[in-house]
Amino acid sequence: MKIEVEEFKRKANEGLNNAHQRELLGRLPVIFKALRDYSFSTLADPKAALERGAAIRRESIANLPAYLEAFEKKAVENGANIVWAEDYREAREIIIDLARKKKVKTITKGKSMLTEEMELNRALGDNGIDVFETDLGEFIVQQMNRTPFHVVGPALNVAVEEIADLFVSVMGVEKTLDLGGLTMQARGFLREKFKQAEMGITGVNMAVADTGSIILVENEGNIRFSTGGPKTHVAVMGIEKIVPTMDDALHVLRLLTRSCTGQAVSSYVNVINGPKKKGEPDGPDELFIVIVDGGRTKIYADPDFRQVLGCIKCGACLNVCPVWNKIGGYAYGWVYSGPIGSILNPLFLGLERAHDLYHATTLCGACREVCPAGIDHPRLFLKLREKRASGDRTWGARRLPLAERLTFSAWAWGISGEGRYRTAGKLLRWMLKPFVTGGVIGKLPAMGSGWTRFRDLPAPAERPFRRRWSDGERGTTK
Amino acid sequence: MTTRPTARENILNKLREAVSWPKAESASRPKIGTGDAGDPAALTDIFETKATGAAAVVKRVGGISEATRQIVSFMKEDGLSSAIISDEEIIGKAGIKAALEKAGLRAITISSEPADYKEACFAADAGITGAPYGIAETGSLAMVFDSRNPRLVSHAPFCHIALLMADDILPDTETLVARVTERRVPPSAMALVTGPSMTADIALTAVRGIHGPGKLYIIIIG
């Protein structure tokens, strides 16, 4: 996957100019909101349920090292193999090594954002191993070699016609535009892969510390196949996926599916405790759980940003975001998009590279309001801006350019003394005068042109407020 | 496959060394809302409503022989000619194999074809299993997998027909987990199944039966 976070402005414009996408984004928030609202209304106390979700995620993150150890101990007792990887490369090598040792030719895969981060599919492909994404949306994205448009529906923006043509070229089937027909084509094609696959790779939605179980949530049934059919199941999880107890997990589950798709529960919830037991005709002989750091301990070490690790990747913040709903998912240039992408992409890739993302936010707080993990997105956007402005080595933020810093220093100096403020005001009124037409300034040259490109600036008053006040011109309004 | 010796310690140490957060009060446990459905009849009603809402077809029958007749008629109505059958007690008691064969349908038991087990699951039109528990809150079946009720029987065929005893319908998943962990050894895996397999990945339109069963029949006995 090409990292294109630097291209935010260009890609946001592309999104804005894409008529098909605009039409879709016009409908999307309405549908998601209706589904979400209805599903939360079936809870006795939705607000308390969200608060408890946030408390569980906070508790999980606060005591992460202890819970990770507890999880490991239990999972090993249940017969799973736990493998730790410090970075993406190590995680990829562990999985490729294992696949080679087991002489794996075909892998079926469940959707996992972490494996997108670490570009696992490309690495497996380079090693001659066929890997098939089996979530329908992710399958389409993989075959088109694109980034996910939406964390839950990675291909929901792709036109039916395009998908029909893709299926013709990938599967050699007859072209159809019927949605049921397309679905059956994908079913038929991937069923053969499920039969063949010697290894299934999935992500993990939650890892339960007190039972050593992993929980995987899905609607399609591709994860049931990938975890139940092949001889080896590899589950890849970020260190932050832990929850303390099974009861906690079940509560978060209620919030997760409601926030994702507005369902009280997804079609399938897989609770996996270990490999198959003696006498079971299916299920994996071996279960490997790969616990990956991949930049997460660095986020953990910064108390300002640590809370973002509570994210359960539900996508609710995208659906309510006024920015995402205009520019779409591609503008964010990497694995994550929307409000959560504007935090995670810079933290994983560098504050400098991805700075447009956290500046292109309105700070409206709609994301915070729906977040089942209690993440305060606006606060984190401001933190990111602050760290960039003052420069931050840890996060790869250079200080602002000298000209910009000087401008703001001059501004601060100018407005902090009465005489200076008055003089500057006078100067500015005089400078702006030539541009006034009909009571507004419609067009400014040079640096000012950005301001007037889309809006008018009211003309400065003949007599400023301070003058009128001191002249005793008060108490009368017309 | 093993972890590089330092990887685990490095990760845990970095986490341990990080400045700890101030203690937060834990939030109270909110009521979830299956109501006060203490009595089993109400639970069955809630289950039926929720499962039907999730696009499962629910049929309530008085006894086991009626359940068997119902299975045959589901198969005939859908024009299905073969079924793979799990090996639980209730399935045996229901005499499903004999009933299907008598109706001219093909019945494959999981013990009869151990070598071709996987192939048989993929080839069958229907999978017939028991469901150890139902969950009223969401209308879900709790499939607790073991040697007699393995994973693919209920998942690989296009149609899943499940037998559920009304007494086994529990109010919520918490009760289910408590019930399952009463056993000394936890099951290797468990799946909560709510309605048929579904996707809305193309054009945001729901289509059933993308990978798992496109049809789910639940027969509640009692």
Side-chain angles (χ1 to χ4, degrees):
Chain A
M1 180 190 309
K2 236 165 87 188
I3 300 174
E4 296 185 301
V5 280
E6 300 92 340
E7 300 290 312
F8 181 83
K9 282 182 187 160
R10 180 177 64 78
K11 300 199 75 157
N13 267 311
E14 273 174 25
L16 288 167
N17 290 321
N18 181 328
H20 166 74
Q21 181 175 313
R22 258 204 326 269
E23 187 274 328
L24 174 83
L25 291 175
R27 288 184 292 136
L28 213 54
V30 186
I31 299 170
F32 274 125
K33 184 175 187 309
L35 291 171
R36 182 185 179 278
D37 286 356
Y38 176 73
S39 67
F40 271 88
S41 76
T42 62
L43 294 170
D45 187 346
K47 191 163 168 281
L50 274 176
E51 276 166 12
R52 176 150 175 75
I56 292 169
R57 287 306 292 148
R58 191 187 158 87
E59 161 70 15
S60 315
I61 300 302
N63 296 311
L64 195 52
Y67 288 136
L68 276 167
E69 282 185 282
F71 169 75
E72 177 184 39
K73 190 162 172 282
K74 270 288 179 188
V76 169
E77 274 174 34
N78 295 342
N81 299 290
I82 304 286
V83 195
W84 301 71
E86 282 197 79
D87 53 30
Y88 297 152
R89 210 184 83 182
E90 188 171 10
R92 286 194 304 257
E93 280 168 4
I94 285 168
I95 296 166
I96 289 165
D97 254 25
L98 182 68
R100 279 217 191 107
K101 241 176 241 157
K102 308 254 174 212
K103 301 194 168 39
V104 170
K105 289 191 198 75
T106 308
I107 295 174
T108 57
K109 216 180 137 290
K111 184 154 79 80
S112 142
M113 303 315 283
L114 172 55
T115 59
E116 290 267 346
E117 283 177 40
M118 61 196 229
E119 295 189 87
L120 180 61
N121 290 348
R122 186 183 48 76
L124 287 165
D126 289 350
N127 283 274
I129 301 161
D130 282 339
V131 55
F132 293 90
E133 291 289 347
T134 54
D135 170 86
L136 180 58
E138 195 70 12
F139 172 73
I140 293 166
V141 163
Q142 182 196 19
Q143 299 302 328
M144 298 184 110
N145 197 20
R146 290 199 190 175
T147 52
F149 185 77
H150 186 287
V151 66
V152 179
L156 56 78
N157 62 312
V158 183
V160 177
E161 178 85 37
E162 238 180 305
I163 295 171
D165 290 334
L166 177 77
F167 283 9
V168 171
S169 75
V170 172
M171 308 172 187
V173 287
E174 289 269 317
K175 181 165 172 172
T176 174
L177 293 177
D178 175 61
L179 295 181
L182 285 168
T183 306
M184 287 309 122
Q185 288 178 343
R187 179 183 168 102
F189 181 79
L190 289 169
R191 246 174 120 71
E192 291 310 308
K193 309 301 170 195
F194 288 131
K195 274 194 227 170
Q196 287 163 20
E198 303 93 350
M199 177 184 274
I201 300 180
T202 67
V204 169
N205 288 100
M206 283 181 276
V208 186
D210 77 342
T211 63
S213 323
I214 52 174
I215 297 181
L216 292 92
V217 177
E218 57 160 341
N219 278 318
E220 297 189 357
N222 59 315
I223 295 179
R224 280 186 74 184
F225 274 127
S226 292
T227 59
K231 290 222 175 305
T232 310
H233 172 203
V234 179
V236 192
M237 61 176 265
I239 53 172
E240 79 282 11
K241 289 292 180 186
I242 293 277
V243 289
T245 68
M246 187 55 91
D247 274 4
D248 291 335
L250 297 175
H251 184 77
V252 173
L253 178 66
R254 288 189 179 94
L255 301 177
L256 174 63
T257 56
R258 282 176 171 83
S259 303
C260 263
T261 48
Q263 292 169 286
V265 70
S266 54
S267 301
Y268 305 113
V269 176
N270 302 279
V271 181
I272 294 170
N273 292 317
K276 76 175 187 193
K277 291 189 198 313
K278 211 169 160 259
E280 291 185 41
D282 54 19
D285 293 334
E286 283 178 293
L287 165 65
F288 293 89
I289 302 173
V290 185
I291 303 178
V292 185
D293 177 345
R296 284 152 173 80
T297 51
K298 188 179 165 194
I299 298 174
Y300 195 85
D302 190 326
D304 287 332
F305 293 134
R306 187 181 302 163
Q307 58 163 294
V308 79
L309 294 174
C311 175
I312 56 172
K313 314 279 158 68
C314 69
C317 60
L318 280 62
N319 303 337
V320 298
C321 178
V323 179
W324 190 91
N325 275 309
K326 289 286 175 223
I327 64 175
Y330 293 149
Y332 296 82
W334 198 52
V335 178
Y336 303 102
S337 68
I340 194 64
S342 298
I343 300 165
L344 289 178
N345 294 359
L347 289 179
F348 281 122
L349 302 171
L351 260 57
E352 202 56 50
R353 267 184 102 171
H355 73 89
D356 278 333
L357 275 62
Y358 51 88
H359 282 101
T361 56
T362 65
L363 305 178
C364 69
C367 39
R368 176 179 55 200
E369 216 167 283
V370 296
C371 181
I375 294 169
D376 188 347
H377 310 70
R379 193 188 145 86
L380 296 176
F381 299 147
L382 290 174
K383 269 285 163 211
L384 286 160
R385 295 180 191 183
E386 183 193 319
K387 295 214 183 198
R388 174 159 184 262
S390 49
D392 191 309
R393 272 246 177 95
T394 336
W395 294 110
R398 294 189 298 270
R399 296 183 69 187
L400 290 177
L402 186 65
E404 201 168 334
R405 269 185 288 141
L406 283 179
T407 310
F408 281 102
S409 303
W411 172 266
W413 179 78
I415 63 164
S416 56
E418 199 193 329
R420 296 195 290 272
Y421 182 85
R422 204 163 39 219
T423 316
K426 210 181 263 173
L427 191 68
L428 204 62
R429 272 200 304 286
W430 175 74
M431 279 167 64
L432 288 174
K433 210 158 199 173
F435 302 103
V436 177
T437 40
V440 293
I441 296 167
K443 201 171 177 195
L444 281 171
M447 271 172 76
S449 65
W451 177 270
T452 51
R453 207 168 133 211
F454 297 111
R455 52 207 183 293
D456 293 337
L457 191 67
E462 282 297 317
R463 294 172 63 237
F465 177 77
R466 292 164 53 85
R467 174 83 59 73
R468 291 164 64 180
W469 182 266
S470 61
D471 287 355
E473 197 185 305
R474 37 186 108 146
T476 50
T477 48
K478 283 178 191 166
Chain B
M1 179 169 72
T2 47
T3 311
R4 187 166 49 82
T6 51
R8 178 183 184 277
E9 281 316 301
N10 283 350
I11 293 170
L12 288 172
N13 281 338
K14 281 185 199 163
L15 296 175
R16 289 187 197 113
E17 281 158 17
V19 194
S20 64
W21 265 347
K23 273 256 173 281
E25 277 182 42
S26 62
S28 61
R29 285 169 182 271
K31 273 185 76 77
I32 298 308
T34 18
D36 308 307
D39 81 289
L43 280 180
T44 309
D45 289 344
I46 297 171
F47 177 90
E48 185 178 357
T49 310
K50 296 284 180 179
T52 308
V57 177
V58 180
K59 198 88 191 179
R60 287 162 82 159
V61 299
I64 209 153
S65 51
E66 202 184 328
T68 310
R69 283 198 299 277
Q70 188 60 59
I71 290 173
V72 175
S73 83
F74 278 147
M75 298 267 305
K76 293 233 150 165
E77 276 164 35
D78 280 11
L80 309 176
S81 58
S82 67
I84 184 148
I85 301 167
S86 73
D87 192 24
E88 299 143 283
E89 222 180 290
I90 185 170
I91 297 293
K93 261 198 230 159
I96 290 162
K97 186 173 166 32
L100 289 181
E101 280 167 355
K102 202 174 144 207
L105 305 168
R106 194 155 167 255
I108 310 134
T109 57
I110 56 170
S111 41
S112 65
E113 295 197 30
D116 287 336
Y117 162 77
K118 198 167 168 181
E119 191 54 48
C121 290
F122 276 100
D125 294 334
I128 302 172
T129 72
Y133 303 102
I135 298 161
E137 180 189 346
T138 47
S140 314
L141 299 176
M143 304 298 294
V144 183
F145 300 122
D146 56 27
S147 58
R148 305 183 77 177
N149 188 358
R151 295 156 179 82
L152 292 176
V153 178
S154 55
H155 195 58
F158 192 79
C159 173
H160 175 205
I161 304 174
L163 294 181
L164 173 66
M165 301 301 293
D167 290 345
D168 290 330
I169 297 176
L170 309 172
D172 52 29
T173 34
E174 279 80 354
T175 319
L176 165 79
V177 166
R179 193 68 68 89
V180 173
T181 47
E182 272 170 18
R183 309 176 176 192
R184 256 182 326 131
V185 192
S188 50
M190 192 164 81
L192 308 181
V193 175
T194 315
S197 152
M198 195 179 74
T199 185
D201 276 348
I202 301 180
L204 218 66
T205 308
V207 180
R208 303 192 196 289
I210 164 68
H211 295 303
K215 284 225 161 158
L216 172 62
Y217 291 110
I218 303 171
I219 301 171
I220 304 175
I221 304 169

